Amino acid sequence: MCFITFFFLFMFSMINLIFFVYFFMNDLVIMMEWEVISFNSMSIIMSILLDWMSLLFMMFVSLISSVVVYYSKSYMSSEKNLIRFILLVVMFVLSMMMLIISPNLISILLGWDGLGLVSYCLVIYYQNFKSFNAGMLTALSNRIGDVFILMSIAWFMNYGSWNYIFYLNFMKNDFSMIMISSMIILAAMTKSAQIPFSSWLPAAMAAPTPVSALVHSSTLVTAGVYLLIRFNDLMLNTFFFKILLVLSGLTMFMAGITANYEFDLKKIIALSTLSQLGLMMSILSMGFPKLAFFHLLTHAMFKALLFMCAGVIIHMMMDIQDIRFMGGLSKYVPLTSLCLNISNLSLCGIPFLSGFYSKDMILEMVSMSNLNIMVYFLYYFSTGLTMFYTIRLLFYTMINDFNLISIFNLYDEDYTMLKSMFILLFMSLVSGSLLSWLIFFKPYMIYLPINMKLMVIYVSLIGGLMGFMISNMKIFSFNKFMFFFKLSNFLSLMWFMPNLSTYGLNIYFLNFSKNLLKNMDMGWSEYYSGQGFFNIIKNYSVFYQFYHMNNFKIYLFSFIIWLMMILLLLLMI
Amino acid sequence: MMKFLFMIIFMIPLCFLQKMFWMVQMMMFFLMYLFLMLNVNLNIFSNLSYVMGCDIFSYGLILLSIWICSLMIMSSENLFKMNFYSNFFLLNIIFLLIMLYMTFSVVNLFLFYFFFEGSLIPTLLLIMGWGYQPERIQAGMYLLFYTLFASLPLFMGIFFIFDNMNFFMMYMMKFYNFNLYLLYISMILSFLVKMPMYFIHLWLPKAHVEAPVSGSMILAGIMLKLGGYGLMRILIIFQEINMKLSFIWIVVSLIGGFYVSLMCFCQIDIKSLIAYSSVAHMSIVIGGIMTMNYWGFLGSYILMIGHGLCSSGMFCLANINYERFHSRSLFINKGLINLMPSMSFWWFLLLSSNMSAPPSLNLIGEISLINSLLSWSSLTMIMLMLISFFSAGYSLYLYSYTQHGKFYLGLYSFYMGVSREYLMLMLHWLPLNIIILKIDYSMIWF
């Protein structure tokens, strides 16, 4: 099952590669449309757009997913419902493809909603409370994005078609286009976990590790970035992109700091993904969609590899993810450590690994652009933080002493996992340079003073040094965090975002719904219709029954009243 | 049109033969396919004969009612096995089908009223006769009196209209315009109760909770759609006054839809949750119809059909659980993915259709309704967003509470899903997601 799926996905990836080269060389774009319905001069169209960008992205997605499927043959080998798992992954890849190829707001829903739903199924794959909560958080955060896309469909109605690529330049200053662009940005921010919505990404690490490698590093979370790359023409130099720039810069900064407080191996990697997503979003909002796309692709490779290494380590550590128990792995499991190191260093942008080409170019373009000091600070400080948590992670897992148990036998001979990792290892070595030669046929001209040019190296060195120092910290030094207890709480809990988006928010809605149920459905609505009406009728009938008991006193009394009334009538006449 | 009616009527003797339970069901399917072949002119009333006729709108709803009625028989196999008055059950369903068929196919306003109210009686008998708990008496009373209370003004209104127009024909009504406030209220209110709008929806959860599975299916599948059908037919003569007063219904139903979808989070009974979710969906339908634009009408039509299939399927699922656990509480129906993994798949598919995931009819319907409501006023966006978001919320809540986690340990024995159930669920789900491929038959009316 795994192998067949791997084979087909891999072949699909190669076909996409060939088509990418062909389309790219000849500068071809193919657009296919199927008109679902057309009326009132509006047409709902299922459209497919094949250009070099979508083909290349599809190639990367199918390559990573094929490798991940092959990897899960070993990782999920003791899973009882392996077929369910593989089917879910394939469904996920399918929805991602639908998202990539459709430039239509209605037909993109097929991929966009599908991603949210299938990733929900994948996150709650394990039957425990943590994954239950994480899945709900993931699905509902993504649903916000779905809702925004639904609303932007309604705003798009004025144009008569939902093929957004035709209207991006043409209708830029239209009011409904402004509404649309704000909603599309919000939708993209939910999928790509930018700052108000970023709590779901670390929570989604409750999913099985192959899922994290595929879904929460390289495909699902980049869907938002990809959508904004497509929408880039519309929002260039607008107010929304400025807001997005600040928010994504803060996301990068926040994730970088939080990763330094984290001890969970997968969460550190997830936070680094969040940080890189912030980087992509911010460079995108500055108007360099190609650079964002380039970083998206290289990042997909090394981040998937990083997660897969983490999976191997978790397997051999008896399902323990805490990095304080790890250490000295470079001696015991050299091949896995090799992969981990290369992907980690590629994340930091060490020269000539794949991350270097994209990240260095992004940072230099930032230095070239007209920006204020705050954005510049966010970019460079976050770059330093990346080095910081990477080196910390390396020292914790690779160099320090092994802390788990005294008698242990770590193995590095799971060749199914290793083979699949080596494919990605190769790709994360070469993909940066290859892509930079391929997709930038016109090189960017960068002209910087020496200190700004060397700024990346300065911050990286400082960050690396800090990471080295913090990884050797002893227990009494940890207690110094107590001096800044509130601050470190704030920073380590992702600026309280998980609390704000779960317990902080839902309690109001749940209380409200409880009150509604008690006051409206079991209260006033019942009082004024069902039970209240019943009570009125019942009381009257009881009252009349009381009359009909022929009580002598009431009988006489009513007789006298009648007499008096007749007398009064007579008198009036 | 009359031939189909006769076919249904002559299915009545079949109910009283022994061991003919499935035969009736098969005949209903057969009827469904015969009706599918009916040559319908999509734009205007066609197949007119005596008092009957159909356009695309009634055509779709008749198809839906035959489909749901046959699936009702399929879902209540237990009655047949236990021999729990299965003959009378079939008779009841056939009566119900006759009523529904006539409601949707007559073009005479009074006869429409007659069958509209007449369909209550078989439903009431279903709830009273085959329900589970003693509270079903009260639920039946709620069902009957909520709808009857508002229907007498409708009766008066219809005769007032007859007094003015001197005929009852629906297809001539578009030449008239009644700009009368009281007439408008009296004609609308009955349908709003049937839909149900917020504030007057209390009968629906009660009836659902007490009804057997077939009762719930027909209630969610068809009875709610009667209201929408009636509204769309009636509003033609109230175009002018509806322009002035429609905001009341839209505001009440949209805010009510949001409130109801919040209330879903407090439900612990699966059926009651599904019932509340259908109130939330119907609220958007009311909004769409009341905007009186093309998108709104066809969106409500599509959402009504989609919701009819989807919620009926979910009630089937609830009943499948009920037959195994003998409870519908979310605290007992837990961890089902461990016990019935394939059924969990169907839960997910139907619940995702309920939260309008593509490519279901609900999605197209919801998109059209959002379009119509947003073009009516952009302020409705807030409520629509909340409704749409929370519809995902309660669907996932239901899915994860029933399917995820540890299963109930007090469970003594258990059996897997049988192929009848899978077939039944597929017959719900497949049309829901396939019709979108040829959606223009149901979208282009005029």
Side-chain angles (χ1 to χ4, degrees):
Chain A
M1 180 77 184
C2 286
F3 185 75
I4 298 168
T5 317
F6 160 74
F7 181 76
F8 275 102
L9 284 171
F10 194 76
M11 281 301 125
F12 186 65
S13 149
M14 289 303 116
I15 290 166
N16 271 322
L17 178 63
I18 293 164
F19 271 104
F20 156 67
V21 173
Y22 181 71
F23 274 54
F24 192 73
M25 296 295 279
N26 296 321
D27 206 11
L28 278 177
V29 175
I30 287 184
M31 186 143 172
M32 284 178 270
E33 285 190 343
W34 170 53
E35 192 178 81
V36 181
I37 181 168
S38 151
F39 66 96
N40 272 12
S41 78
M42 283 172 264
S43 47
I44 295 176
I45 290 170
M46 167 89 213
S47 50
I48 291 174
L49 177 74
L50 297 175
D51 61 349
W52 67 268
M53 204 178 248
S54 57
L55 284 168
L56 186 61
F57 198 16
M58 280 211 289
M59 179 240 155
F60 269 69
V61 168
S62 47
L63 181 67
I64 293 176
S65 55
S66 70
V67 165
V68 161
V69 167
Y70 191 64
Y71 172 87
S72 48
K73 184 186 175 187
S74 168
Y75 189 83
M76 306 289 281
S77 57
S78 53
E79 170 65 42
K80 215 171 182 182
N81 301 307
L82 185 62
I83 292 178
R84 186 202 300 167
F85 180 74
I86 301 294
L87 280 178
L88 281 174
V89 170
V90 171
M91 280 302 291
F92 179 83
V93 176
L94 195 69
S95 353
M96 191 70 203
M97 300 293 169
M98 297 306 285
L99 179 95
I100 290 168
I101 58 176
S102 60
N104 184 306
L105 265 185
I106 289 184
S107 64
I108 208 173
L109 272 177
L110 197 59
W112 191 270
D113 271 15
L115 282 183
L117 286 171
V118 181
S119 72
Y120 170 72
C121 283
L122 286 168
V123 173
I124 64 161
Y125 192 76
Y126 291 141
Q127 310 270 320
N128 52 35
F129 271 110
K130 199 182 157 206
S131 55
F132 174 87
N133 290 332
M136 198 54 99
L137 181 58
T138 306
L140 290 184
S141 304
N142 281 324
R143 181 67 188 175
I144 297 176
D146 298 348
V147 170
F148 279 121
I149 291 225
L150 278 175
M151 291 300 142
S152 59
I153 285 172
W155 282 100
F156 231 100
M157 191 175 64
N158 295 341
Y159 303 118
S161 156
W162 283 269
N163 273 352
Y164 55 80
I165 44 168
F166 297 146
Y167 303 98
L168 293 182
N169 283 321
F170 193 56
M171 289 287 176
K172 204 168 175 180
N173 295 321
D174 199 15
F175 173 69
S176 47
M177 221 28 157
I178 291 170
M179 289 299 288
I180 290 162
S181 55
S182 64
M183 284 179 189
I184 291 291
I185 284 182
L186 279 168
M189 274 162 63
T190 57
K191 268 281 188 274
S192 290
Q194 297 306 302
I195 233 170
F197 310 109
S198 48
S199 57
W200 69 267
L201 182 54
M205 289 303 119
T209 312
V211 174
S212 308
L214 174 67
V215 176
H216 304 115
S217 65
S218 46
T219 49
L220 170 70
V221 290
T222 53
V225 181
Y226 183 74
L227 187 70
L228 280 189
I229 288 171
R230 288 287 186 197
F231 265 93
N232 184 59
D233 290 342
L234 177 62
M235 302 168 207
L236 212 56
N237 301 324
T238 53
F239 177 66
F240 301 115
F241 256 17
K242 281 174 191 144
I243 292 178
L244 182 65
L245 177 60
V246 174
L247 282 181
S248 53
L250 284 176
T251 309
M252 185 161 56
F253 181 64
M254 177 273 296
I257 286 186
T258 312
N260 283 312
Y261 280 94
E262 196 58 60
F263 285 109
D264 188 322
L265 177 60
K266 276 177 80 178
K267 272 200 175 168
I268 294 174
I269 305 175
L271 286 165
S272 84
T273 305
L274 194 54
S275 162
Q276 300 302 309
L277 284 172
L279 184 68
M280 287 174 219
M281 275 291 195
S282 52
I283 194 68
L284 180 69
S285 52
M286 279 167 54
F288 300 102
K290 243 181 177 179
L291 279 179
F293 188 59
F294 180 34
H295 191 62
L296 192 158
L297 294 177
T298 52
H299 168 255
M301 282 299 158
F302 61 73
K303 193 48 67 73
L305 178 60
L306 196 54
F307 266 113
M308 284 156 81
C309 297
V312 175
I313 290 172
I314 290 166
H315 239 209
M316 73 175 79
M317 298 290 292
M318 306 196 303
D319 300 337
I320 280 172
Q321 304 187 6
D322 200 317
I323 56 169
R324 282 168 294 191
F325 290 123
M326 298 168 189
L329 293 183
S330 59
K331 298 188 198 89
Y332 308 124
V333 279
L335 283 175
T336 310
S337 310
L338 172 81
C339 297
L340 185 73
N341 272 342
I342 286 178
S343 53
N344 246 338
L345 293 177
S346 174
L347 173 71
C348 302
I350 299 295
F352 314 120
L353 297 175
S354 67
F356 164 73
Y357 291 91
S358 51
K359 209 170 171 186
D360 194 56
M361 185 121 67
I362 287 174
L363 288 173
E364 282 170 359
M365 288 314 289
V366 169
S367 305
M368 280 279 286
S369 309
N370 283 322
L371 281 174
N372 55 17
I373 187 70
M374 192 186 106
V375 177
Y376 189 81
F377 166 77
L378 284 178
Y379 268 103
Y380 276 82
F381 200 77
S382 311
T383 312
L385 284 173
T386 308
M387 198 71 185
F388 189 173
Y389 62 73
T390 307
I391 296 295
R392 171 172 169 270
L393 181 64
L394 281 186
F395 271 88
Y396 261 107
T397 52
M398 298 289 141
I399 313 291
N400 292 352
D401 298 330
F402 188 76
N403 293 327
L404 182 59
I405 38 177
S406 49
I407 300 174
F408 56 92
N409 178 21
L410 301 177
Y411 59 97
D412 200 15
E413 275 110 36
D414 194 334
Y415 289 111
T416 317
M417 292 199 205
L418 278 178
K419 258 188 269 177
S420 52
M421 272 150 59
F422 280 151
I423 297 175
L424 283 190
L425 177 67
F426 175 71
M427 285 306 286
S428 58
L429 278 175
V430 300
S431 69
S433 52
L434 280 183
L435 283 174
S436 72
W437 297 327
L438 259 177
I439 64 181
F440 298 106
F441 48 87
K442 207 163 52 179
Y444 283 100
M445 204 280 289
I446 291 166
Y447 184 77
L448 288 175
I450 183 71
N451 273 333
M452 279 179 98
K453 177 80 184 161
L454 291 180
M455 186 60 96
V456 185
I457 297 175
Y458 295 156
V459 290
S460 297
L461 282 179
I462 294 169
L465 196 64
M466 294 281 286
F468 169 66
M469 291 195 311
I470 208 167
S471 62
N472 285 323
M473 219 149 60
K474 293 293 173 284
I475 191 71
F476 53 84
S477 321
F478 273 120
N479 293 339
K480 285 187 179 164
F481 284 124
M482 294 312 236
F483 289 130
F484 314 101
F485 181 68
K486 283 180 180 162
L487 183 67
S488 51
N489 242 354
F490 175 71
L491 293 174
S492 63
L493 289 175
M494 295 177 68
W495 297 6
F496 299 140
M497 237 178 302
N499 297 354
L500 285 177
S501 56
T502 54
Y503 307 112
L505 200 61
N506 64 12
I507 192 73
Y508 298 108
F509 285 103
L510 288 179
N511 270 337
F512 186 48
S513 69
K514 189 193 77 186
N515 289 337
L516 273 176
L517 198 66
K518 280 177 90 172
N519 295 336
M520 298 303 293
D521 260 37
M522 298 178 182
W524 290 111
S525 297
E526 199 73 89
Y527 182 76
Y528 276 117
S529 57
Q531 297 294 331
F533 204 60
F534 172 70
N535 276 337
I536 290 169
I537 291 173
K538 193 189 72 185
N539 288 340
Y540 273 115
S541 64
V542 166
F543 187 60
Y544 289 127
Q545 271 199 340
F546 177 66
Y547 266 130
H548 288 195
M549 287 199 310
N550 285 338
N551 198 327
F552 192 64
K553 205 193 282 178
I554 293 175
Y555 183 69
L556 274 184
F557 189 64
S558 56
F559 179 70
I560 289 167
I561 287 178
W562 274 109
L563 269 183
M564 283 169 74
M565 279 170 76
I566 290 168
L567 277 176
L568 280 173
L569 276 172
L570 287 175
L571 283 177
M572 276 167 75
I573 295 166
Chain B
M1 297 301 288
M2 195 69 93
K3 57 199 170 200
F4 299 111
L5 179 65
F6 271 93
M7 178 163 178
I8 308 172
I9 288 174
F10 282 101
M11 273 153 69
I12 290 176
L14 206 58
C15 322
F16 291 104
L17 299 177
Q18 289 303 309
K19 306 279 179 195
M20 278 293 172
F21 191 81
W22 294 117
M23 190 63 191
V24 176
Q25 201 253 339
M26 286 301 149
M27 290 310 281
M28 274 196 193
F29 268 133
F30 186 54
L31 174 67
M32 156 92 195
Y33 288 111
L34 283 182
F35 195 80
L36 207 59
M37 303 297 168
L38 183 69
N39 186 12
V40 178
N41 192 332
L42 295 179
N43 305 326
I44 49 169
F45 274 104
S46 56
N47 295 305
L48 285 164
S49 60
Y50 298 104
V51 290
M52 301 164 90
C54 78
D55 62 351
I56 180 65
F57 188 35
S58 42
Y59 176 72
L61 285 171
I62 291 170
L63 280 182
L64 180 69
S65 41
I66 302 174
W67 191 245
I68 296 289
C69 278
S70 55
L71 289 175
M72 272 160 71
I73 299 177
M74 209 167 171
S75 71
S76 341
E77 197 208 19
N78 257 13
L79 301 181
F80 177 56
K81 273 196 208 154
M82 308 280 181
N83 204 10
F84 184 36
Y85 300 108
S86 60
N87 297 341
F88 289 110
F89 176 74
L90 290 177
L91 181 69
N92 201 2
I93 286 182
I94 286 175
F95 265 119
L96 189 54
L97 184 56
I98 291 172
M99 294 292 178
L100 291 172
Y101 178 75
M102 291 302 284
T103 314
F104 290 129
S105 65
V106 291
V107 290
N108 184 319
L109 203 56
F110 172 67
L111 281 181
F112 167 71
Y113 171 78
F114 181 80
F115 290 111
F116 174 75
E117 296 302 331
S119 62
L120 264 181
I121 295 165
T123 317
L124 186 71
L125 289 179
L126 261 183
I127 295 174
M128 296 279 206
W130 285 271
Y132 302 115
Q133 289 121 22
E135 284 84 11
R136 64 181 187 266
I137 308 292
Q138 198 198 15
M141 286 298 136
Y142 263 73
L143 166 73
L144 197 65
F145 281 102
Y146 259 84
T147 39
L148 272 188
F149 177 73
S151 81
L152 289 175
L154 173 64
F155 187 65
M156 293 293 123
I158 285 172
F159 277 98
F160 182 84
I161 288 173
F162 178 70
D163 224 26
N164 281 283
M165 309 200 295
N166 291 314
F167 59 84
F168 274 132
M169 291 304 145
M170 276 183 191
Y171 47 79
M172 302 285 263
M173 285 197 322
K174 59 186 163 194
F175 302 117
Y176 286 81
N177 179 25
F178 287 89
N179 198 1
L180 301 170
Y181 173 71
L182 273 178
L183 182 66
Y184 173 70
I185 298 288
S186 64
M187 296 286 277
I188 292 288
L189 200 62
S190 169
F191 300 122
L192 289 179
V193 172
K194 201 81 170 182
M195 278 295 266
M197 198 175 67
Y198 186 65
F199 288 130
I200 36 183
H201 66 278
L202 288 185
W203 63 274
L204 187 73
K206 279 204 172 55
H208 271 303
V209 169
E210 300 305 330
V213 56
S214 45
S216 293
M217 283 167 73
I218 198 72
L219 272 174
I222 312 293
M223 294 310 233
L224 305 188
K225 280 75 201 171
L226 284 175
Y229 178 78
L231 270 186
M232 287 199 215
R233 291 280 187 234
I234 289 296
L235 278 183
I236 290 176
I237 48 173
F238 294 114
Q239 288 182 13
E240 194 177 333
I241 189 160
N242 191 48
M243 291 293 173
K244 291 177 204 151
L245 294 178
S246 64
F247 76 96
I248 302 172
W249 317 115
I250 294 177
V251 167
V252 168
S253 60
L254 281 185
I255 293 181
F258 166 52
Y259 282 0
V260 164
S261 46
L262 272 182
M263 276 183 235
C264 286
F265 289 99
C266 285
Q267 306 297 325
I268 51 160
D269 187 330
I270 295 178
K271 264 191 166 177
S272 149
L273 202 160
I274 302 170
Y276 271 103
S277 89
S278 44
V279 179
H281 281 242
M282 283 300 118
S283 71
I284 324 178
V285 171
I286 296 178
I289 294 174
M290 285 296 172
T291 54
M292 304 262 293
N293 52 27
Y294 189 55
W295 275 106
F297 265 52
L298 68 87
S300 350
Y301 172 56
I302 291 171
L303 190 63
M304 268 164 21
I305 291 192
H307 177 259
L309 290 165
C310 174
S311 65
S312 151
M314 289 197 299
F315 280 118
C316 281
L317 282 167
N319 184 57
I320 287 166
N321 281 3
Y322 184 76
E323 280 171 5
R324 286 158 176 75
F325 284 94
H326 299 287
S327 165
R328 291 188 308 260
S329 168
L330 281 176
F331 297 118
I332 293 178
N333 286 285
K334 276 163 73 65
L336 284 178
I337 199 168
N338 302 314
L339 298 174
M340 296 200 287
S342 315
M343 203 59 85
S344 176
F345 173 66
W346 286 106
W347 268 103
F348 190 76
L349 285 182
L350 281 166
L351 280 172
S352 63
S353 296
N354 192 38
M355 57 186 270
S356 75
S360 61
L361 280 181
N362 293 28
L363 176 79
I364 287 286
E366 202 161 296
I367 284 174
S368 325
L369 289 174
I370 289 171
N371 281 345
S372 78
L373 281 166
L374 222 67
S375 53
W376 183 74
S377 159
S378 54
L379 284 176
T380 56
M381 194 168 69
I382 304 160
M383 280 302 148
L384 284 171
M385 278 161 100
L386 288 170
I387 290 174
S388 192
F389 176 72
F390 284 112
S391 82
Y394 58 71
S395 300
L396 289 177
Y397 162 70
L398 179 55
Y399 176 75
S400 54
Y401 261 69
T402 52
Q403 306 301 318
H404 197 258
K406 290 177 184 141
F407 56 86
Y408 175 56
L409 286 173
L411 197 62
Y412 172 64
S413 67
F414 199 81
Y415 61 102
M416 306 295 287
V418 293
S419 52
R420 171 186 61 90
E421 287 161 349
Y422 290 121
L423 176 63
M424 181 171 72
L425 293 172
M426 186 148 103
L427 292 178
H428 279 117
W429 184 80
L430 209 64
L432 185 61
N433 284 267
I434 288 294
I435 294 178
I436 201 166
L437 295 177
K438 196 59 187 162
I439 195 77
D440 37 353
Y441 270 152
S442 39
M443 274 183 118
I444 296 176
W445 292 357
F446 307 116

